[in-house]
């Protein structure tokens, strides 16, 4: 069975994105503060603007945010689902890339 060039191109493109998952993801517990809908994180390795962040509270609830600002190893994350219950001891933040 021979594939056409177009079929090969589609197969190649599909292989490039199929099951694309970077592991391990680093998890941080370095929340410096919470101000309104923003969470400020310190000591973050290579944060990127617009990166999605999963935030897991101490009770296991998961919320999602996005990096709004980066300054060196600090990141400001805007939470989409509110910041009530977020503390700097039990909350874990995972940058999804």
């Amino acid at each position: 069975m021979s594939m056409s060039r177009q079929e090969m191109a589609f197969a190649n493109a599909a292989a490039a994105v199929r099951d694309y998952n970077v592991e391990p993801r680093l998890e941080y517990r370095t929340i410096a503060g919470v101000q309104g809908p923003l969470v400020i994180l310190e000591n973050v390795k290579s944060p990127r603007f617009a990166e999605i962040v999963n935030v897991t509270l101490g009770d296991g609830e998961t919320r999602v945010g996005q990096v709004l600002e980066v300054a060196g190893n600090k990141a400001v994350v805007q939470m989409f689902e509110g910041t009530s219950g977020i503390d700097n001891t039990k909350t874990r933040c995972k940058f999804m890339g």
Side-chain angles (χ1 to χ4, degrees):
M1 180 174 140
S2 178
M3 294 175 68
S4 71
R5 284 185 152 207
Q6 185 177 15
E7 289 171 327
M8 286 189 289
F10 283 128
N12 188 32
V17 295
R18 179 184 37 221
D19 300 327
Y20 182 75
N21 195 4
V22 178
E23 293 292 339
R25 297 193 191 281
L26 296 178
E27 193 169 85
Y28 297 95
R29 292 188 179 193
T30 57
I31 295 176
V34 177
Q35 296 177 357
L38 304 178
V39 174
I40 297 98
L41 291 143
E42 295 180 330
N43 301 321
V44 179
K45 184 179 178 181
S46 303
R48 292 184 293 163
F49 176 76
E51 187 170 3
I52 298 298
V53 180
N54 284 344
V55 177
T56 306
L57 285 81
D59 65 1
E61 181 183 350
T62 300
R63 299 184 188 166
V64 179
Q66 184 175 24
V67 176
L68 285 185
E69 186 177 334
V70 174
N73 65 349
K74 293 184 182 181
V76 177
V77 177
Q78 179 182 10
M79 299 305 300
F80 298 141
E81 303 166 46
T83 56
S84 63
I86 294 177
D87 65 3
N88 61 352
T89 56
K90 297 178 184 172
T91 302
R92 300 182 316 271
C93 302
K94 190 181 289 187
F95 287 71
M96 303 308 288

